[in-house]
Amino acid sequence: MKVLLFLAEGFEDLEAVSVIDVMGWTEYREWVPTVEVVTTGFRPEIKSRFGLMIKPDISFDEIQASKYDALVIPGGFHSHGFDEAYDDRLRQLTRDIHHQGGWIATFCVGVLPVAEAGLLKDKQAVTYPYSRNHNNPERLQELGAIVMDTPTAVDDRI
């Protein structure tokens, strides 16, 4: 299995590295299929909210959606550049991977670009509800999602 991990500027450190760490352990467990994580973003170096610098494995322009089984979008801090996650290129990639049968996984506000891609209309979804500057649940609802008051939601491979 091959997972594409999209990192926007200002991504939340723990959300990104947890994917890399957990999936990395699949290499050591014979009963679990190995999962390869490939990082990408719009910049040659991506700075997280708390200063972690990542050099993506592949530039965004080189991505072929058909090579990935899943896309993961960690959340991030809008005050530190996360707004670039709302780029049309990411929306299209999200739709492409989902329409070919892939999974989409998000953390926190990483769900908002997926909703903006139109993939959560009439689907269950959750988001970080405690932002001081953004009403994330309301935004999800405006985009057609069924906002759940649960820690997680899974609907149609998202």
Side-chain angles (χ1 to χ4, degrees), residues 12-26:
E12 214 292 348
D13 305 58
L14 184 58
E15 294 171 10
V17 299
S18 65
V19 172
I20 295 167
D21 185 62
V22 170
M23 298 306 159
W25 278 100
T26 64

Side-chain angles (χ1 to χ4, degrees), residues 67-93:
K67 292 188 175 187
Y68 298 93
D69 302 293
L71 171 66
V72 178
I73 306 172
F77 289 73
H78 292 91
S79 60
H80 287 76
F82 187 77
D83 287 343
E84 72 181 19
Y86 302 101
D87 187 287
D88 286 336
R89 295 172 292 173
L90 179 58
R91 289 182 203 152
Q92 187 59 53
L93 176 65

Side-chain angles (χ1 to χ4, degrees), residues 4-131:
L4 186 63
L5 175 61
F6 176 82
L7 301 173
E9 189 77 1
F11 68 88
E12 214 292 348
D13 305 58
L14 184 58
E15 294 171 10
V17 299
S18 65
V19 172
I20 295 167
D21 185 62
V22 170
M23 298 306 159
W25 278 100
T26 64
E27 185 179 332
Y28 299 99
R29 304 292 180 247
E30 295 121 20
W31 63 90
V32 177
T34 300
V35 178
E36 176 187 358
V37 176
V38 177
T39 58
T40 192
F42 295 135
R43 303 163 183 260
E45 283 192 338
I46 306 160
K47 186 176 182 182
S48 74
R49 164 57 184 96
F50 297 107
L52 180 66
M53 294 294 290
I54 300 281
K55 291 183 180 182
D57 298 317
I58 186 172
S59 76
F60 195 87
D61 296 333
E62 296 176 88
I63 295 169
Q64 295 177 332
S66 61
K67 292 188 175 187
Y68 298 93
D69 302 293
L71 171 66
V72 178
I73 306 172
F77 289 73
H78 292 91
S79 60
H80 287 76
F82 187 77
D83 287 343
E84 72 181 19
Y86 302 101
D87 187 287
D88 286 336
R89 295 172 292 173
L90 179 58
R91 289 182 203 152
Q92 187 59 53
L93 176 65
T94 303
R95 286 189 292 265
D96 291 347
I97 289 176
H98 188 260
H99 291 319
Q100 73 186 20
W103 285 79
I104 308 297
T106 68
F107 293 81
C108 194
V109 297
V111 71
L112 296 176
V114 177
E116 288 195 356
L119 294 175
L120 291 175
K121 183 145 178 51
D122 301 322
K123 307 256 186 320
Q124 295 179 9
V126 297
T127 188
Y128 181 70
Y130 305 113
S131 175

Side-chain angles (χ1 to χ4, degrees), residues 112 127-131 134-143 145 147:
L112 296 176
T127 188
Y128 181 70
Y130 305 113
S131 175
H134 303 93
N135 188 332
N136 301 321
E138 183 177 286
R139 183 70 183 133
L140 267 183
Q141 194 167 25
E142 289 170 359
L143 293 165
V147 179

